[in-house]
Amino acid sequence: MVKFYEKIGYGFGDMASSMFWKLFGAYLMVFYTDVFGISAAAVGTMFLVTRIWDAFVDPVVGVVADRTETKWGKFRPFLLWLAIPFAILGILTFTTPDLGNTGKLIYAFITYSLMMVIYSAINVPYASLLGVMSPDPRDRNVLSTFRMAFAYVGSFAALFFFMKVVEGFGGVDGASVADHQSAWTEAVTCFAVVCAVLFIGCFLLTRERIRPINEVKNNVSDDLKDLAHNKPWWILLGAGVAALIFNSIRDGATVYYFKYFIEENDATKVSIFGSSFALSALYLGLGQLANIIGVVAAAPVSNVIGKKNTYLGAMVIATILSIIFYWFDKDQITLIFVFQVLISICAGAIFPLLWSMYADCADYSELTTGNRATGLIFSSSSMSQKFGWAIGSAVTGWLLSAFGFQANQEQSPETIDGIKMCLSLLPAVGTILSVAFIAIYPLSEKKVAENAAKLEALRHSK
């Protein structure tokens, strides 16, 4: 039985991952264009190249993790070994050396690529840990719920407080370029330290319980062959890519939306408990709180109507709301925030379901092939994230450039319209694709329960 403190500890891991993931999604594009001084088109291309290349690192990490044997288990040791390198590379990614245009782009390519490799190396084993903490599908739903709830708490902290921390280090309007750049680096350093502590806490508090029914490990080609024939895995991969396209376009365009369309400034800031916050920070932070509502609702709703039906319902609603969002004018702030809450509740509900379904795919693979490649299967989740964010971020950068975006200048009506579409119509394409994939997902609740029971019987018979 999974202890309560283990559920908390497991949540710590994604709290750490999500802090940086949201910093990348919401602020890295604008950091590169408006702080470091790289063109939007170049950043979009860099995101596509680095994230697609790095996506292929994920299965490699999964294979290595599956073959790792230590006194702490297969997956937990990676959390301990890589916590500090993760923090250091996060800081370097948001560092701004004094280089020319080409030098800046090369530096960004190198540091961001290395950051994504470390992200894979720690996050794939972390995700795989879910598949070996408990054989019970309901336990996995609960663990997924804790994971995603803590993930959104971390995301909320990053999105809501990051710019306040930047301002606290001197990154305010009127500051010099050098002071503004150093403020970003110092703010990221604070978050990096917290992330390292959380990863180590996850290592200390969790346990691995499940051993494969077949202790003889297949070679890598056999693992890949088994994966290639795992139909549910392919379907989830497609759904995950589409869902991340939806999220990445919305997150990546948010700061631009408020800076250039809403035209936020000191007069539009909102005071909360004596501190003033930009509308974009409130919008992003409120979205994370709404995501938590969706996460908490996912398990009880899916236990009644099933994971597949819950996923489909959430994505259909998100599609409709995203399309309506396009028609809001900049003075309809209340409606903009209300729809952000509703869309974010839907988005929050689907991700714990995806993680739980990946564990079901690991059971399916073990039952049909006799080989449990948990790390390789869960690496697909990280791979889908990379592909989704790569495509979404690249499209965002390319479209901004195509619509004539120029950093820190007044934008044309065509550019403003393009920015609006990045928070509405374009993300809706991702939700529609995600619905199409999940509609053909074959593992029903009944089938999942049958697979779990058969595997338990096989383990007890050995």
Side-chain angles (χ1 to χ4, degrees):
M1 176 158 178
V2 180
K3 307 291 186 183
F4 180 74
Y5 67 81
E6 287 186 78
K7 298 171 186 175
I8 297 293
Y10 187 65
F12 282 169
D14 216 12
M15 186 175 180
S17 291
S18 294
M19 279 189 184
F20 263 107
W21 195 256
K22 283 301 179 181
L23 290 180
F24 298 151
Y27 292 116
L28 191 57
M29 172 81 76
V30 75
F31 167 77
Y32 281 142
T33 60
D34 291 21
V35 179
F36 201 17
I38 304 174
S39 73
V43 174
T45 301
M46 184 194 75
F47 280 162
L48 182 66
V49 172
T50 56
R51 288 173 178 173
I52 286 183
W53 171 81
D54 180 54
F56 292 100
V57 173
D58 295 350
V60 175
V61 175
V63 168
V64 172
D66 278 329
R67 287 159 175 75
T68 298
E69 296 290 346
T70 74
K71 63 181 180 180
W72 300 310
K74 292 178 177 294
F75 306 119
R76 292 174 58 234
F78 290 87
L79 305 176
L80 178 65
W81 297 335
L82 298 177
I84 293 176
F86 179 93
I88 291 172
L89 277 166
I91 296 168
L92 291 176
T93 301
F94 282 88
T95 299
T96 55
D98 186 13
L99 302 168
N101 291 336
T102 301
K104 289 179 181 180
L105 189 58
I106 292 172
Y107 178 84
F109 257 105
I110 293 172
T111 54
Y112 184 64
S113 296
L114 290 175
M115 180 66 223
M116 287 293 96
V117 170
I118 287 291
Y119 186 93
S120 294
I122 198 168
N123 206 56
V124 168
Y126 166 74
S128 304
L129 187 57
L130 174 63
V132 296
M133 288 180 69
S134 172
D136 188 335
R138 288 182 178 268
D139 274 348
R140 290 171 177 173
N141 281 349
V142 173
L143 283 167
S144 291
T145 298
F146 270 81
R147 171 187 181 169
M148 297 311 301
F150 273 82
Y152 286 123
V153 169
S155 298
F156 172 80
L159 296 176
F160 192 70
F161 293 108
F162 179 70
M163 290 310 300
K164 289 297 296 182
V165 179
V166 170
E167 291 173 6
F169 282 111
V172 295
D173 291 340
S176 67
V177 172
D179 287 344
H180 203 61
Q181 291 176 338
S182 65
W184 276 69
T185 305
E186 290 162 357
V188 169
T189 300
C190 295
F191 283 92
V193 171
V194 172
C195 289
V197 171
L198 288 170
F199 273 130
I200 294 171
C202 182
F203 163 78
L204 293 172
L205 294 173
T206 54
R207 296 292 179 270
E208 297 184 24
R209 293 181 177 83
I210 295 178
R211 300 293 302 174
I213 56 176
N214 181 11
E215 293 290 350
V216 179
K217 180 55 66 178
N218 290 356
N219 59 47
V220 175
S221 64
D222 288 336
D223 282 355
L224 293 173
K225 190 181 299 182
D226 291 342
L227 188 64
H229 291 90
N230 192 328
K231 180 181 176 181
W233 176 84
W234 281 107
I235 293 171
L236 286 185
L237 180 65
V241 169
L244 266 297
I245 289 174
F246 161 72
N247 261 3
S248 65
I249 294 177
R250 292 186 79 242
D251 283 353
T254 292
V255 175
Y256 295 98
Y257 182 84
F258 279 89
K259 181 175 181 179
Y260 298 108
F261 173 57
I262 303 297
E263 297 179 327
E264 65 178 357
N265 50 46
D266 288 339
T268 63
K269 288 185 176 180
V270 177
S271 179
I272 301 176
F273 301 122
S275 296
S276 59
F277 292 88
L279 287 175
S280 56
L282 290 174
Y283 178 91
L284 291 166
L286 191 61
Q288 297 309 299
L289 292 178
N291 283 151
I292 295 172
I293 296 173
V295 168
V296 172
V301 173
S302 63
N303 285 339
V304 174
I305 67 173
K307 299 172 190 174
K308 179 175 178 177
N309 289 334
T310 304
Y311 191 107
L312 287 172
M315 284 288 90
V316 168
I317 294 171
T319 301
I320 296 170
L321 295 175
S322 295
I323 292 172
I324 295 173
F325 194 96
Y326 172 76
W327 306 104
F328 294 148
D329 201 357
K330 64 182 180 180
D331 60 351
Q332 295 177 290
I333 295 297
T334 300
L335 276 176
I336 289 171
F337 273 74
V338 168
F339 269 62
Q340 164 71 339
V341 169
L342 297 176
I343 293 170
S344 298
I345 289 173
C346 294
I350 67 167
F351 288 106
L353 300 176
L354 276 174
W355 292 116
S356 184
M357 286 190 272
Y358 279 120
D360 297 339
C361 288
D363 285 352
Y364 170 85
S365 177
E366 185 176 17
L367 194 60
T368 55
T369 67
N371 178 38
R372 188 177 186 88
T374 308
L376 183 58
I377 287 175
F378 269 87
S379 69
S380 66
S381 62
S382 180
M383 186 167 65
S384 71
Q385 285 185 324
K386 302 288 178 58
F387 278 129
W389 281 103
I391 296 169
S393 298
V395 166
T396 303
W398 292 339
L399 284 175
L400 285 173
S401 180
F403 286 128
F405 172 79
Q406 296 292 324
N408 301 312
Q409 296 182 24
E410 184 177 350
Q411 308 302 320
S412 69
E414 292 78 14
T415 304
I416 295 298
D417 193 56
I419 292 172
K420 288 174 61 180
M421 285 194 291
C422 287
L423 265 78
S424 53
L425 302 182
L426 292 173
V429 175
T431 58
I432 291 169
L433 289 173
S434 196
V435 165
F437 278 108
I438 292 298
I440 59 173
Y441 181 70
L443 295 183
S444 65
E445 300 302 302
K446 181 180 179 181
K447 188 66 176 177
V448 167
E450 289 175 355
N451 289 348
K454 289 176 182 177
L455 286 173
E456 274 300 288
L458 287 170
R459 290 188 186 104
H460 287 306
S461 68
K462 286 189 173 290

